[in-house]
Amino acid sequence: MSTQMKTEESEQYKLDEIDRRVLDVYQRDASLSYKELSNAVELPPSTIYDRIKKLRRNGTIKTVIPLLDYEKLGLLTTAWVLIKISREKGLERVAENVTRIHGVMEVHGIAGEYDIMVKVKVRDNLELHTTTDLIARLEGVHDTFSTMALCTIKEDIRISV
């Protein structure tokens, strides 16, 4: 599904203030029961249940997953790899192949000198080298540039609603 189609679908449903309150608390801790969530947002559990069901059905809530501690899992190196593709190969094809590489967390089409930006989380510099080498060897990849984080000040997948 294209990004434009996703945008059009999400624009069909406008969040109201109750949705925003529910999502704000829910994304901080999705393990809360409906009763606990209802206490936090001061609404009846049945309202919370109905809102979450509606937000799942319309795609606002894609899925519920645990937020893992990367350091405790031994993933101590975060890096970004910029990829320049050969013009005869499509961006979508190269990007799709990049998504299959172990350690790849995010893949974005970007504007500028490079075409794709990839966020990678791996154990160490040796694994980073292996990962960037795999990316560089993909068909359609013309050039890559990597940079890595020395420390992480903030990293959060939650958004302001």
Side-chain angles (χ1 to χ4, degrees), residues 21 36 42 71-73 90 102 105 108-109 119 132 147:
R21 287 171 42 207
E36 292 168 321
E42 300 174 341
E71 287 184 16
K72 289 182 180 173
L73 294 170
H102 178 76
M105 302 292 295
H108 304 274
K119 181 178 180 181
T132 56
T147 188

Side-chain angles (χ1 to χ4, degrees), residues 78-102:
T78 302
W80 293 265
V81 182
L82 298 174
I83 303 169
K84 191 179 293 186
I85 62 169
S86 303
R87 286 294 151 217
E88 64 274 2
K89 302 297 177 188
L91 178 119
E92 293 83 13
R93 184 174 172 190
V94 175
E96 181 63 34
N97 289 331
V98 170
T99 66
R100 295 185 182 106
I101 295 175
H102 178 76

Side-chain angles (χ1 to χ4, degrees), residues 78-139:
T78 302
W80 293 265
V81 182
L82 298 174
I83 303 169
K84 191 179 293 186
I85 62 169
S86 303
R87 286 294 151 217
E88 64 274 2
K89 302 297 177 188
L91 178 119
E92 293 83 13
R93 184 174 172 190
V94 175
E96 181 63 34
N97 289 331
V98 170
T99 66
R100 295 185 182 106
I101 295 175
H102 178 76
V104 169
M105 302 292 295
E106 299 175 16
V107 179
H108 304 274
I110 60 172
E113 185 177 344
Y114 288 86
D115 304 297
I116 300 171
M117 181 172 69
V118 178
K119 181 178 180 181
V120 176
K121 283 209 174 275
V122 292
R123 297 193 181 285
D124 54 30
N125 291 352
L126 182 59
E127 191 172 352
L128 177 59
H129 173 73
T130 301
T131 302
T132 56
D133 190 53
L134 285 171
I135 291 171
R137 292 174 185 259
L138 288 173
E139 182 181 358

Side-chain angles (χ1 to χ4, degrees), residues 2-161:
S2 75
T3 303
Q4 183 179 4
M5 288 177 64
K6 288 181 185 176
T7 302
E8 288 171 3
E9 287 174 6
S10 63
E11 287 177 349
Q12 291 174 0
Y13 180 77
K14 299 292 184 191
L15 297 177
D16 64 17
E17 188 54 38
I18 293 173
D19 291 331
R20 291 179 194 288
R21 287 171 42 207
V22 169
L23 288 172
D24 183 54
V25 174
Y26 193 54
Q27 75 173 337
R28 279 189 266 135
D29 188 354
S31 70
L32 293 174
S33 68
Y34 290 119
K35 181 171 177 29
E36 292 168 321
L37 194 53
S38 72
N39 289 338
V41 295
E42 300 174 341
L43 292 168
S46 59
T47 301
I48 301 303
Y49 176 81
D50 291 342
R51 291 294 177 133
I52 289 177
K53 185 176 177 182
K54 177 177 61 174
L55 292 164
R56 283 185 177 155
R57 190 173 50 245
N58 72 32
T60 301
I61 298 174
K62 293 182 186 183
T63 189
V64 178
I65 59 171
L67 185 58
L68 305 177
D69 186 317
Y70 299 115
E71 287 184 16
K72 289 182 180 173
L73 294 170
L75 301 173
L76 303 176
T77 301
T78 302
W80 293 265
V81 182
L82 298 174
I83 303 169
K84 191 179 293 186
I85 62 169
S86 303
R87 286 294 151 217
E88 64 274 2
K89 302 297 177 188
L91 178 119
E92 293 83 13
R93 184 174 172 190
V94 175
E96 181 63 34
N97 289 331
V98 170
T99 66
R100 295 185 182 106
I101 295 175
H102 178 76
V104 169
M105 302 292 295
E106 299 175 16
V107 179
H108 304 274
I110 60 172
E113 185 177 344
Y114 288 86
D115 304 297
I116 300 171
M117 181 172 69
V118 178
K119 181 178 180 181
V120 176
K121 283 209 174 275
V122 292
R123 297 193 181 285
D124 54 30
N125 291 352
L126 182 59
E127 191 172 352
L128 177 59
H129 173 73
T130 301
T131 302
T132 56
D133 190 53
L134 285 171
I135 291 171
R137 292 174 185 259
L138 288 173
E139 182 181 358
V141 172
H142 175 70
D143 187 30
T144 63
F145 173 82
S146 300
T147 188
M148 65 184 233
L150 297 176
C151 64
T152 299
I153 311 307
K154 178 183 179 183
E155 183 173 57
D156 198 343
I157 63 168
R158 296 169 292 194
I159 59 173
S160 297
V161 286

